[in-house]
Structure formats: C-alpha cells, structure tokens
C-alpha cells in the first residue's frame, strides 16, 4: 500500500542518507580526508625541519615534502574510494532519484517507524517531478517543494510507514552554541562533493610531486609544503561544508593560505604587494559574502543549513526579492574570489608566487571556490535571478563580459604565466556564464576539464621557466621545443584542449556551455534549455576564437623561432615531466565522461552522459533545470570559429613574423611595422589592453590614492592643529597649575606648617629641658602631683 504523505503531517525533513556500511562506509567518513591534510600541515610545520631527509632511490628528499606527498596521496586514494562508493550508491539507490527522507518522532529522534520509503522523482514534460510506484506506473504528480514537499511513503505489513533517504549523505554535530542557537558542522556528500574531492586531491598530489624539484633548496622549503597541505585541507573542508558558517570559515582559510603562498618570497616587494593585493581585493568581495549569508540566515528562518536554505528557495518559501538581493551580494564574492570582471585584477599579479602555487590556485582550488559556491547554493541564484525562461541576468552578463575582456588581455602579456592567468579569468567567466544561463552541469563539467589542462599549462610554463630562469617569452624563450620535447608536447596538448578543439576535453565542456545558452535554433537547436541567452552564446563564441589565438601566440613565442635567452636550457626532471604527462592525458580523455547521448551508439541511454548522472544533485533542494539537447550544427560552427582565431595567429606568427625574421637575420617576436604602429585605433586599443583597461590605475591611483592623499592631509592637519594643540594646551595648563600649587600652597602653607611644627617642637623641648634639674625631691613632687591629678580624674569620672 502506498500513499502520499501531506506536508502538514511531516514533523521534520532531512536529507540524511544511510549508506548501509560495507564498501560505501567511506561516504560517511569523508571528513577524514581534510583531517589528514590538516594533520599533515601541523606535523610539517612543527616537526618538518627536525625530521631531516629521507633517502628515496639515489636522492635525498626532505621529510617535510615526503610527509605532504604521503598525506595527499592517501587522500587521493580515499577520494577514489569515495568516488567508486558514490557511483555504487547512486546507481543502486532505490529508484535512484529519491528527493528526501522524512524523519518521524516528536522527541527529535529517529523513529523506528519511519526511516525509508520507495520514492522516485522523474521529470514530466513540463518539468514537474512525478512519483512512480514499484512497477513504474505514475502514482502522483507533485511540484518540487521545500520543507513542505510531499513525500511518497510505503506502509509495511505492521502498519509502520517507511520513507527512503535522499541520494545525498548529510551528517553533522553541534560545533558551538551562542545566544541559544546551535552552530552545526558536518559533511554534505553528493555529486559536486565527490567531483571536487577527486579534482582537488589529484591536482594537489601532482603539484606536491612537482614542487619537490621546482622549489628544491628553497629557503622556506618546509614552510612551503606545510601551507600546501593547509591550503588543500581548507579547500576540502569547503567543498563538503554542511552549513554556511562552515563554508565561510573554509572560504577565509583558503584566502589566508593563498596570501601566505603568493607571498612565499616576501623579501621581494612585488611578491608581498601581490599577496596583499589578493588578500585585500578578496576582502572587498567577502563583504558581499557575509551580507548575503546573513540575509539567507534570516530569510530561511534562522538557519545556516545549506540544504534547508536551498529547499526553501526551490519551494518558494523565501521571497524572490530577498533571494535577488542575497544573490547579488554573493555574486560580489564570486567576482573577487573567482576573478570576474572587474574584481579580477589580483589574479594576474598573484603569478608572483611559485609556479606550483599558481597551478594549484588557478586550476583546482581558490579561484573555483566562487563557482562552487554558486553551484552549491544554486537555488538561491536560479530563483533570485529568475534564470529559467529569461534572456539575460546579472550572473550570465558578468560571466560573458569576463570571457571576452579577460581573454583580450592575454594578447599583450609577455610573461607566460600572466597569459595563463588571464586565460583562467576568461575560462572562469565561461563557468559563471554557464551557471547564469542554467547550464549547471555544463559549468561543473568545464570546471572539471579546465582543472587538468590549465594545471598542465601552468606546470608546463614553470618547467620552461625553471630551465631558462625567466617567464619572459619575448626576451628569454624561443625555440624551446628543441631542448624540452616532453614539455613542448604536453603544453601543446593542453593548449589544444583549452582552445576547445575536437575531440579534446575542452571541446566537450565548452560546447555543452554554448548549447546550454539556448541561443541557437537551427536543426533542433538546444531545446530544453532554460532560456534564450543569445548574447551569451555570441560572447562565448568570441571567447573561443580569442582563446585559440592567444595560445597560438604563446606556443610560437615559447617553443618556435630561435632561442633568445642565455645559458643552456634542458628538459626538466621526471618529477616535473611525469605530472605534465598525466595532466595531458586527462586533457585529452576527460571529455569522454560526458559525451552527449546518442553521439556514438545512437542510443539515448547507456554509458554516455555519465558525468551529469553522477554529479547533478537529485533532491528537492535542487531546482528543476532544463537540459539542452545536442546541436551538431552549433558544434560545427563553434569549432570553425574556434579554429579561425588560431588560423589568423598562425598566419601572422608562423608566416609573416617568421619570414621577416629570416630577412633580418634575427628572431623576431612581432612585426616592427604592424597595425598597432600604423593605425591609430589599433594603437589606442593596444594601449588600452596594455594598461589593463586602466583598472589598476583606477583602484591604485584614483580610489586608493584619492583616499590616501586627502585622508593623509586631513590627518596631518588634525595632528598639527587639533591633537598637538590639545596636548600643548594640556601641558601648558599643567605647568601653570604646578607653579600655582608650588608658590601659593606648597611654600606658604605646607612648608610653613611643617616649619612651624618643627619650631614649636623645638621650643617645647627647650622648656622640658629646663625642668630637668637632677634633684630627686623635685621629681618626687612631679610624681606626687601627677598621681593626685589622676586620682581626681578617676573620682570625678567614676
């Protein structure tokens, strides 16, 4: 017997799921993973130097790095276990699409009468979920709800009802209490959590291994690996956060670690300035984070629980205007942390840190934290910005602008790491734009593929710089393919993937974002998407052209032509090249995890599109988003445009610049009489890009300088005319008062009284000395007189 349990009859709604022990038990203990990295930080920091070195093979490796590698390697293996367990849990979960578990019991404890149900959620043609019975027949249609969502309950033979758990696993306990409110900390394990566990631990492991060679002999080698461990622990703590308070704590820990790692070589002023710039710029956005989270806390009935907030947003239990304000505030945090235009300026300067840090920050951790926050609190943004059925919103527009304007800045950089930094800005724009148009799965898929090819590019750039001791492509590189064949091949593979060329990983994720905009209507188009975001589609296509063009420029300046540096460059060691090879393999094959249905076999189901199946949340706390159908016409057009940019760059550099180099007998990096020197508009555009849209001038000279100058002048005037006058007046008053006391009180009164008392005592003493004659009869008379007086007193008194 099955029946629909009304919302009013449900005492409590929870998303806690029991994995049933056995192989899947790791899903309930994933909190061990960040704990291991936190312990690694403590051990390395306090004992790393004293532990000396460990001999591995023929080389001596400091124990600090060995501890870090062992810790993150263990975490990676546990993440693989968690991933396998999640696949099993997701595929074998009853009906695999349950939305929630209802906990019965008036005392707040689980009731034995209500633990599980046979519930499944499917989408009908209108997007509303429908519940099915065990035979697959539709039982009842119900809108996705919040805390009051209907749930399907199966009554047992004993009359007790059972409710099946959600696919997600949510565990927690009270962290602390304040003002009668309990602050919980715990884990929220679902598809996005498992995805980020794999990405963060794998990239961090490769970065740790790479760093043993790259920072070998560094003056703060132990300090570096300690903070790598803490950085990884902070990001792992963030991705499995159950509450917004826990999320904010981890968010700030990530910021603190980035400050320490970006400024690792703090003795050089540019490095410390870059660390401060990153820290302060992120604080600007973090004001939005705090305000947004506070708004959600009160709007959701004074709760920090992420699932509850999401569920209430989906159910319409939070007013849309409130969600809009909260979403706008949180978007400010995303703009700073994830480098969105116009708060992206810290990110290129952060290249001052060691290259492994750049790879870790820009590939898998800090900069994707903002994207992950949108994905985790997606109902707030989805409902607040009214993403479904729209054609533009603030989130999509910010992402689209970042895609194009961030990519254009990469063309005028001579530092190879800064080119990759602006590329990261542009690719983060793709992710934010995808979330803004409702392509949630596409955004997470691009985050996944981008982590591999961008980490490969950063580490490849570090490999070249490690050999030539410089990051300047024009002055100190060129012809490096002859000296570094492995680095060259892996760099080209990752560049092709970044450019979105078929069939590399970047093609599949970028194409899924473009089709998710719903802006293409030919031959089936992208039906099922969440709106018609045509502008975002155009911006995305332009961004694809730019990406291929500036990466072609990087490849030419770095690996072709003649070597323009000094010394004798050579290929890097195995600890650098092996991570590059591994990342290039993922840059090629990661896209196969989410092939469009029917792409190869023609079947709509099967092993294709597995990424979305395992990663996209299945609960009443996730909005009913649409999924665009593949558009092969759009894929072809996007590929053609994506190759047009590199084709133009190839013609310019490999044809014209190469030919001019042969004529002049030297290795040129550009045409001396190019458009920027002959056409005023081109020159003005180049200057605008070289000055980075004058945003640094605006922030540093106008805002900061305009604030510091007047404030400093006012402080100086106040110091001289107010504070100094007050202090001087107080001093003069004190002197006058002291003189008055000395001349009018101390000298005539105090000293006079003391001198008078002395003179009186002296006179009295003189008189007493006159009475001392030495005659016994006189002393006896004195004694008799005194006794008589005393007797008289006693007689009178008594």
């Amino acid at each position: 017997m099955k029946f629909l349990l009304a919302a009013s009859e449900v005492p409590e709604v929870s998303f806690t799921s029991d994995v049933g022990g056995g192989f899947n038990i790791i899903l309930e203990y994933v909190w061990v993973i960040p704990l291991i990295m936190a312990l690694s930080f403590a051990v390395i920091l306090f004992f790393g130097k004293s532990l000396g070195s460990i001999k591995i093979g023929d080389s001596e490796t400091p124990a600090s790095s060995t501890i870090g590698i062992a810790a993150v390697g263990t975490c990676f293996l546990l993440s693989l276990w968690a991933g396998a367990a999640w696949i099993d849990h997701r595929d074998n979960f009853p009906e695999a699409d349950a939305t929630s578990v209802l906990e019965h019991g008036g005392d707040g404890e689980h009731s034995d009468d209500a633990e599980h149900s046979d519930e499944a959620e499917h989408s009908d043609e209108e997007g509303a979920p429908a519940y099915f019975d065990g035979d697959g027949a539709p039982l009842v249609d119900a809108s996705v709800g919040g805390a009051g969502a209907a749930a399907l309950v199966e009554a047992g033979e004993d009359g007790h009802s059972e409710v099946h758990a959600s696919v997600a696993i949510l565990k927690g306990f009270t962290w602390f209490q304040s003002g009668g409110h309990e602050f919980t900390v715990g884990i929220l394990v679902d598809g996005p959590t498992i995805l980020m566990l794999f990405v963060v631990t794998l990239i961090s492991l490769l970065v740790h291994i790479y760093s043993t060679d790259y920072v070998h002999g560094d003056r703060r080698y132990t300090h570096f690996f300690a903070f790598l461990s803490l950085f990884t622990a902070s990001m792992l703590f963030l991705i499995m956060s159950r509450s917004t308070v826990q999320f904010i704590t981890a968010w700030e820990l990530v910021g603190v670690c980035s400050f320490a790692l970006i400024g690792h070589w703090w003795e050089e002023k540019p490095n410390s300035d870059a660390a401060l710039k990153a820290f302060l710029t992120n604080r600007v956005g973090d004001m939005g984070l705090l305000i947004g989270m506070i708004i959600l806390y009160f709007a959701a009935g004074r709760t920090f629980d992420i699932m509850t907030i999401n569920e209430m947003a989906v159910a319409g239990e939070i007013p849309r205007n409130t969600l809009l304000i909260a979403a706008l505030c949180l978007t400010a945090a995303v703009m700073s942390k994830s480098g969105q235009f116009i708060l992206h300026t810290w990110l290129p300067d952060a290249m001052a840190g060691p290259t492994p840090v750049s790879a870790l920050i820009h590939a898998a951790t800090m900069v994707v934290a903002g994207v992950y926050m949108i994905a985790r609190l997606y109902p707030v943004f989805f409902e607040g910005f009214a993403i479904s059925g729209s054609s533009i919103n603030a989130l999509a527009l910010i992402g689209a602008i970042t895609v194009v304007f961030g990519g254009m800045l990469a063309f005028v950089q001579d530092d190879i790491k800064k080119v990759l930094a602006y590329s990261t800005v542009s690719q983060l724009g793709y992710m934010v734009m995808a979330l803004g148009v409702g392509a949630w799965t596409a955004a997470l898929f691009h985050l996944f593929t981008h982590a591999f090819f961008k980490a490969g590019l950063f580490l490849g750039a570090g490999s070249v710089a490690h050999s030539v001791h410089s990051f300047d492509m024009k002055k100190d590189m060129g012809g490096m393919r002859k000296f570094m064949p492995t680095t060259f091949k892996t760099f080209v593979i990752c560049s092709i993937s970044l450019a979105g060329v078929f069939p590399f990983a970047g093609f599949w994720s970028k194409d899924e974002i473009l089709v998710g905009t719903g802006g293409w209507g030919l031959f089936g188009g992208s039906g099922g998407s969440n709106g018609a975001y045509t502008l975002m589609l155009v911006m995305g296509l332009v961004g694809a052209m730019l990406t291929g063009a500036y990466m072609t420029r990087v490849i030419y300046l770095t690996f072709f032509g003649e070597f323009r540096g000094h010394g004798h460059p050579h290929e890097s060691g195995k600890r650098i090249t092996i991570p590059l090879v591994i990342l290039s393999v993922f840059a090629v094959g990661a896209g196969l995890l989410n092939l469009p249905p029917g792409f190869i076999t023609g079947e709509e189901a099967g092993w294709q599109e597995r990424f979305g199946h395992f990663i996209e949340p299945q609960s009443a706390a996730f909005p009913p988003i649409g999924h665009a159908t593949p558009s092969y016409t759009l894929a072809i057009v996007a590929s053609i445009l994506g190759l047009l940019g590199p084709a133009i760059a190839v013609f310019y550099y490999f044809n014209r610049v190469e030919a001019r180099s042969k004529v002049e007998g030297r290795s040129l990096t550009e045409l001396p009489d190019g458009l920027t020197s002959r056409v005023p508009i081109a020159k003005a555009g180049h200057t605008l890009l070289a000055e980075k849209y004058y945003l640094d001038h605006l922030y540093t000279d106008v805002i900061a300088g305009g604030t510091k100058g007047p404030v400093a002048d006012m402080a100086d005037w106040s110091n001289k005319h107010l504070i100094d006058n007050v202090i001087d007046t107080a001093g003069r008053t004190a002197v006058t008062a002291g003189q008055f006391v000395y001349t009018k009180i101390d000298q005539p009164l105090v000293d006079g009284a003391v001198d008078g008392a002395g003179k009186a005592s002296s006179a009295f003493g003189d008189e007493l000395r006159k009475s001392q004659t030495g005659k016994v009869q006189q002393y006896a008379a004195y004694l008799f007189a005194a006794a008589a007086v005393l007797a008289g007193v006693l007689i009178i008194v008594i």
Side-chain angles (χ1 to χ4, degrees), residues 58-101:
D58 297 330
S59 60
E60 293 281 342
T61 303
S64 54
S65 59
T66 305
I67 293 170
I69 293 173
V72 73
T74 302
C75 291
F76 175 64
L77 294 177
L78 291 175
S79 298
L80 290 178
W81 180 11
W86 175 255
I87 292 174
D88 177 71
H89 175 68
R90 177 70 179 84
D91 279 342
N92 296 303
F93 196 80
E95 299 294 342
D97 284 316
T99 59
S100 65
V101 59

Short mmCIF file of all heavy atoms in Angstrom, two decimals, residues 58-101:
data_model
loop_
_atom_site.label_atom_id
_atom_site.label_comp_id
_atom_site.label_asym_id
_atom_site.label_seq_id
_atom_site.Cartn_x
_atom_site.Cartn_y
_atom_site.Cartn_z
N ASP A 58 68.28 7.17 -5.19
CA ASP A 58 69.62 7.74 -5.06
C ASP A 58 69.61 9.18 -4.56
O ASP A 58 70.67 9.82 -4.48
CB ASP A 58 70.34 7.70 -6.43
CG ASP A 58 70.54 6.28 -6.93
OD1 ASP A 58 70.69 5.39 -6.06
OD2 ASP A 58 70.54 6.07 -8.15
N SER A 59 68.42 9.71 -4.26
CA SER A 59 68.34 11.12 -3.87
C SER A 59 67.81 11.26 -2.46
O SER A 59 67.05 10.42 -1.97
CB SER A 59 67.43 11.89 -4.84
OG SER A 59 66.12 11.35 -4.84
N GLU A 60 68.21 12.35 -1.83
CA GLU A 60 67.74 12.69 -0.51
C GLU A 60 66.56 13.67 -0.63
O GLU A 60 66.67 14.70 -1.28
CB GLU A 60 68.86 13.35 0.30
CG GLU A 60 70.02 12.42 0.63
CD GLU A 60 69.70 11.50 1.80
OE1 GLU A 60 68.75 11.81 2.55
OE2 GLU A 60 70.38 10.47 1.95
N THR A 61 65.44 13.31 -0.03
CA THR A 61 64.24 14.15 -0.09
C THR A 61 63.90 14.61 1.32
O THR A 61 63.78 13.78 2.23
CB THR A 61 63.04 13.38 -0.68
OG1 THR A 61 63.39 12.90 -1.98
CG2 THR A 61 61.82 14.27 -0.77
N PRO A 62 63.76 15.91 1.54
CA PRO A 62 63.38 16.39 2.88
C PRO A 62 62.10 15.73 3.37
O PRO A 62 61.15 15.52 2.60
CB PRO A 62 63.20 17.90 2.66
CG PRO A 62 64.07 18.22 1.49
CD PRO A 62 63.99 17.02 0.59
N ALA A 63 62.07 15.42 4.64
CA ALA A 63 60.92 14.71 5.22
C ALA A 63 59.64 15.53 5.11
O ALA A 63 58.55 14.98 5.02
CB ALA A 63 61.21 14.37 6.67
N SER A 64 59.75 16.86 5.12
CA SER A 64 58.57 17.70 5.06
C SER A 64 57.77 17.44 3.79
O SER A 64 56.54 17.30 3.84
CB SER A 64 58.96 19.17 5.14
OG SER A 64 59.93 19.49 4.16
N SER A 65 58.44 17.39 2.64
CA SER A 65 57.73 17.13 1.39
C SER A 65 57.25 15.68 1.34
O SER A 65 56.16 15.40 0.80
CB SER A 65 58.64 17.42 0.20
OG SER A 65 59.82 16.62 0.24
N THR A 66 58.01 14.76 1.89
CA THR A 66 57.58 13.35 1.90
C THR A 66 56.31 13.17 2.70
O THR A 66 55.39 12.44 2.29
CB THR A 66 58.71 12.47 2.48
OG1 THR A 66 59.92 12.69 1.76
CG2 THR A 66 58.32 10.99 2.39
N ILE A 67 56.22 13.85 3.84
CA ILE A 67 55.00 13.78 4.65
C ILE A 67 53.82 14.34 3.88
O ILE A 67 52.73 13.76 3.85
CB ILE A 67 55.21 14.54 5.96
CG1 ILE A 67 56.25 13.85 6.83
CG2 ILE A 67 53.89 14.67 6.73
CD1 ILE A 67 56.69 14.66 8.03
N GLY A 68 54.03 15.49 3.21
CA GLY A 68 52.96 16.10 2.44
C GLY A 68 52.49 15.22 1.31
O GLY A 68 51.28 15.07 1.08
N ILE A 69 53.43 14.62 0.58
CA ILE A 69 53.06 13.74 -0.53
C ILE A 69 52.34 12.50 -0.03
O ILE A 69 51.34 12.06 -0.63
CB ILE A 69 54.32 13.35 -1.33
CG1 ILE A 69 54.89 14.58 -2.04
CG2 ILE A 69 54.01 12.26 -2.34
CD1 ILE A 69 56.23 14.34 -2.71
N ALA A 70 52.83 11.92 1.07
CA ALA A 70 52.16 10.75 1.63
C ALA A 70 50.73 11.07 2.06
O ALA A 70 49.80 10.29 1.84
CB ALA A 70 52.97 10.21 2.81
N ALA A 71 50.55 12.26 2.67
CA ALA A 71 49.23 12.65 3.13
C ALA A 71 48.27 12.87 1.97
O ALA A 71 47.15 12.32 1.95
CB ALA A 71 49.32 13.91 3.99
N VAL A 72 48.70 13.65 0.99
CA VAL A 72 47.79 13.95 -0.12
C VAL A 72 47.60 12.71 -1.00
O VAL A 72 46.52 12.52 -1.60
CB VAL A 72 48.31 15.15 -0.94
CG1 VAL A 72 49.52 14.78 -1.78
CG2 VAL A 72 47.21 15.72 -1.82
N GLY A 73 48.61 11.85 -1.07
CA GLY A 73 48.44 10.59 -1.81
C GLY A 73 47.39 9.71 -1.16
O GLY A 73 46.56 9.09 -1.83
N THR A 74 47.42 9.64 0.18
CA THR A 74 46.41 8.88 0.91
C THR A 74 45.02 9.47 0.67
O THR A 74 44.04 8.74 0.46
CB THR A 74 46.73 8.89 2.41
OG1 THR A 74 48.03 8.33 2.62
CG2 THR A 74 45.69 8.10 3.19
N CYS A 75 44.95 10.80 0.68
CA CYS A 75 43.66 11.46 0.45
C CYS A 75 43.15 11.20 -0.96
O CYS A 75 41.94 11.04 -1.17
CB CYS A 75 43.80 12.97 0.67
SG CYS A 75 44.08 13.42 2.40
N PHE A 76 44.06 11.14 -1.93
CA PHE A 76 43.64 10.84 -3.30
C PHE A 76 43.08 9.43 -3.40
O PHE A 76 42.04 9.20 -4.05
CB PHE A 76 44.83 11.01 -4.24
CG PHE A 76 44.54 10.61 -5.67
CD1 PHE A 76 43.59 11.30 -6.41
CD2 PHE A 76 45.20 9.55 -6.25
CE1 PHE A 76 43.31 10.93 -7.73
CE2 PHE A 76 44.93 9.17 -7.56
CZ PHE A 76 43.98 9.86 -8.30
N LEU A 77 43.74 8.47 -2.75
CA LEU A 77 43.23 7.10 -2.77
C LEU A 77 41.86 7.01 -2.09
O LEU A 77 40.96 6.31 -2.57
CB LEU A 77 44.23 6.17 -2.09
CG LEU A 77 45.58 6.00 -2.80
CD1 LEU A 77 46.51 5.12 -1.98
CD2 LEU A 77 45.39 5.41 -4.21
N LEU A 78 41.71 7.73 -0.97
CA LEU A 78 40.41 7.75 -0.30
C LEU A 78 39.35 8.42 -1.17
O LEU A 78 38.18 8.02 -1.16
CB LEU A 78 40.53 8.48 1.04
CG LEU A 78 41.35 7.78 2.13
CD1 LEU A 78 41.49 8.68 3.36
CD2 LEU A 78 40.72 6.45 2.52
N SER A 79 39.75 9.42 -1.93
CA SER A 79 38.81 10.08 -2.84
C SER A 79 38.38 9.14 -3.96
O SER A 79 37.21 9.15 -4.38
CB SER A 79 39.44 11.34 -3.43
OG SER A 79 39.74 12.27 -2.41
N LEU A 80 39.32 8.35 -4.47
CA LEU A 80 38.96 7.34 -5.46
C LEU A 80 37.97 6.34 -4.88
O LEU A 80 37.00 5.93 -5.54
CB LEU A 80 40.21 6.62 -5.96
CG LEU A 80 41.18 7.41 -6.83
CD1 LEU A 80 42.38 6.55 -7.19
CD2 LEU A 80 40.49 7.90 -8.11
N TRP A 81 38.23 5.92 -3.65
CA TRP A 81 37.31 5.01 -2.97
C TRP A 81 35.93 5.67 -2.82
O TRP A 81 34.89 5.05 -3.10
CB TRP A 81 37.90 4.63 -1.62
CG TRP A 81 37.04 3.70 -0.79
CD1 TRP A 81 35.93 3.01 -1.19
CD2 TRP A 81 37.24 3.36 0.58
NE1 TRP A 81 35.42 2.27 -0.15
CE2 TRP A 81 36.20 2.46 0.95
CE3 TRP A 81 38.19 3.73 1.53
CZ2 TRP A 81 36.10 1.95 2.24
CZ3 TRP A 81 38.09 3.20 2.81
CH2 TRP A 81 37.04 2.32 3.16
N ALA A 82 35.95 6.93 -2.40
CA ALA A 82 34.68 7.64 -2.24
C ALA A 82 33.96 7.77 -3.58
O ALA A 82 32.72 7.66 -3.65
CB ALA A 82 34.93 9.03 -1.64
N GLY A 83 34.70 8.00 -4.65
CA GLY A 83 34.08 8.10 -5.97
C GLY A 83 33.44 6.80 -6.40
O GLY A 83 32.31 6.77 -6.91
N ALA A 84 34.16 5.68 -6.18
CA ALA A 84 33.60 4.37 -6.52
C ALA A 84 32.38 4.07 -5.66
O ALA A 84 31.37 3.53 -6.15
CB ALA A 84 34.66 3.30 -6.35
N ALA A 85 32.46 4.42 -4.39
CA ALA A 85 31.33 4.19 -3.49
C ALA A 85 30.13 5.04 -3.90
O ALA A 85 28.98 4.59 -3.81
CB ALA A 85 31.74 4.50 -2.05
N TRP A 86 30.40 6.27 -4.33
CA TRP A 86 29.30 7.14 -4.75
C TRP A 86 28.61 6.60 -6.01
O TRP A 86 27.38 6.64 -6.13
CB TRP A 86 29.82 8.55 -5.01
CG TRP A 86 28.75 9.45 -5.56
CD1 TRP A 86 28.59 9.88 -6.83
CD2 TRP A 86 27.65 10.00 -4.83
NE1 TRP A 86 27.49 10.66 -6.95
CE2 TRP A 86 26.88 10.75 -5.74
CE3 TRP A 86 27.23 9.92 -3.50
CZ2 TRP A 86 25.73 11.43 -5.35
CZ3 TRP A 86 26.09 10.59 -3.11
CH2 TRP A 86 25.35 11.34 -4.04
N ILE A 87 29.40 6.10 -6.95
CA ILE A 87 28.82 5.51 -8.15
C ILE A 87 27.91 4.35 -7.78
O ILE A 87 26.79 4.22 -8.29
CB ILE A 87 29.93 5.05 -9.11
CG1 ILE A 87 30.67 6.27 -9.68
CG2 ILE A 87 29.38 4.20 -10.25
CD1 ILE A 87 31.88 5.94 -10.51
N ASP A 88 28.39 3.51 -6.87
CA ASP A 88 27.57 2.37 -6.43
C ASP A 88 26.33 2.85 -5.68
O ASP A 88 25.22 2.35 -5.92
CB ASP A 88 28.41 1.47 -5.52
CG ASP A 88 27.61 0.31 -4.97
OD1 ASP A 88 27.29 -0.61 -5.74
OD2 ASP A 88 27.30 0.33 -3.75
N HIS A 89 26.51 3.82 -4.81
CA HIS A 89 25.39 4.36 -4.03
C HIS A 89 24.36 5.00 -4.95
O HIS A 89 23.15 4.81 -4.80
CB HIS A 89 25.93 5.39 -3.04
CG HIS A 89 24.87 6.10 -2.26
ND1 HIS A 89 24.09 5.48 -1.32
CD2 HIS A 89 24.46 7.40 -2.28
CE1 HIS A 89 23.24 6.36 -0.78
NE2 HIS A 89 23.45 7.54 -1.36
N ARG A 90 24.84 5.77 -5.94
CA ARG A 90 23.92 6.47 -6.84
C ARG A 90 23.18 5.50 -7.76
O ARG A 90 21.97 5.64 -7.99
CB ARG A 90 24.72 7.48 -7.67
CG ARG A 90 23.91 8.24 -8.72
CD ARG A 90 22.96 9.20 -8.06
NE ARG A 90 22.20 9.95 -9.06
CZ ARG A 90 21.09 9.52 -9.63
NH1 ARG A 90 20.60 8.33 -9.34
NH2 ARG A 90 20.45 10.27 -10.53
N ASP A 91 23.87 4.51 -8.28
CA ASP A 91 23.24 3.59 -9.21
C ASP A 91 22.31 2.60 -8.53
O ASP A 91 21.31 2.18 -9.12
CB ASP A 91 24.32 2.81 -9.99
CG ASP A 91 24.88 3.63 -11.14
OD1 ASP A 91 24.22 4.61 -11.55
OD2 ASP A 91 25.96 3.29 -11.63
N ASN A 92 22.65 2.22 -7.30
CA ASN A 92 21.87 1.19 -6.62
C ASN A 92 20.91 1.75 -5.58
O ASN A 92 20.28 0.98 -4.85
CB ASN A 92 22.81 0.18 -5.95
CG ASN A 92 23.63 -0.56 -6.97
OD1 ASN A 92 23.11 -1.20 -7.87
ND2 ASN A 92 24.96 -0.45 -6.86
N PHE A 93 20.82 3.06 -5.51
CA PHE A 93 19.88 3.65 -4.57
C PHE A 93 18.47 3.34 -5.04
O PHE A 93 18.20 3.34 -6.24
CB PHE A 93 20.09 5.17 -4.51
CG PHE A 93 19.45 5.79 -3.31
CD1 PHE A 93 20.07 5.73 -2.08
CD2 PHE A 93 18.22 6.41 -3.41
CE1 PHE A 93 19.49 6.30 -0.97
CE2 PHE A 93 17.63 6.98 -2.31
CZ PHE A 93 18.26 6.93 -1.09
N PRO A 94 17.53 3.06 -4.12
CA PRO A 94 16.16 2.71 -4.52
C PRO A 94 15.57 3.75 -5.46
O PRO A 94 15.42 4.92 -5.11
CB PRO A 94 15.40 2.66 -3.19
CG PRO A 94 16.44 2.30 -2.20
CD PRO A 94 17.69 2.97 -2.67
N GLU A 95 15.29 3.32 -6.68
CA GLU A 95 14.75 4.16 -7.73
C GLU A 95 15.74 5.25 -8.17
O GLU A 95 15.48 5.97 -9.10
CB GLU A 95 13.42 4.81 -7.31
CG GLU A 95 12.34 3.81 -6.98
CD GLU A 95 11.89 3.02 -8.20
OE1 GLU A 95 12.16 3.46 -9.32
OE2 GLU A 95 11.28 1.98 -8.01
N ALA A 96 16.84 5.38 -7.41
CA ALA A 96 17.98 6.23 -7.79
C ALA A 96 17.68 7.71 -7.92
O ALA A 96 18.54 8.48 -8.25
CB ALA A 96 18.58 5.73 -9.10
N ASP A 97 16.44 8.12 -7.66
CA ASP A 97 16.13 9.53 -7.82
C ASP A 97 15.30 10.08 -6.67
O ASP A 97 14.51 10.99 -6.85
CB ASP A 97 15.37 9.77 -9.13
CG ASP A 97 16.27 9.72 -10.34
OD1 ASP A 97 17.36 10.30 -10.28
OD2 ASP A 97 15.88 9.10 -11.34
N ALA A 98 15.46 9.53 -5.49
CA ALA A 98 14.66 9.97 -4.36
C ALA A 98 14.96 11.42 -4.01
O ALA A 98 16.05 11.90 -4.24
CB ALA A 98 14.94 9.08 -3.16
N THR A 99 13.98 12.09 -3.44
CA THR A 99 14.15 13.51 -3.17
C THR A 99 14.42 13.84 -1.74
O THR A 99 15.11 14.81 -1.44
CB THR A 99 12.91 14.28 -3.61
OG1 THR A 99 11.78 13.78 -2.91
CG2 THR A 99 12.68 14.13 -5.10
N SER A 100 13.88 13.11 -0.79
CA SER A 100 14.12 13.48 0.61
C SER A 100 13.77 12.34 1.52
O SER A 100 13.14 11.38 1.13
CB SER A 100 13.29 14.70 1.00
OG SER A 100 11.91 14.37 0.95
N VAL A 101 14.25 12.43 2.74
CA VAL A 101 13.87 11.46 3.76
C VAL A 101 13.16 12.21 4.86
O VAL A 101 13.56 13.29 5.25
CB VAL A 101 15.11 10.72 4.33
CG1 VAL A 101 16.10 11.66 4.92
CG2 VAL A 101 14.67 9.70 5.38
#
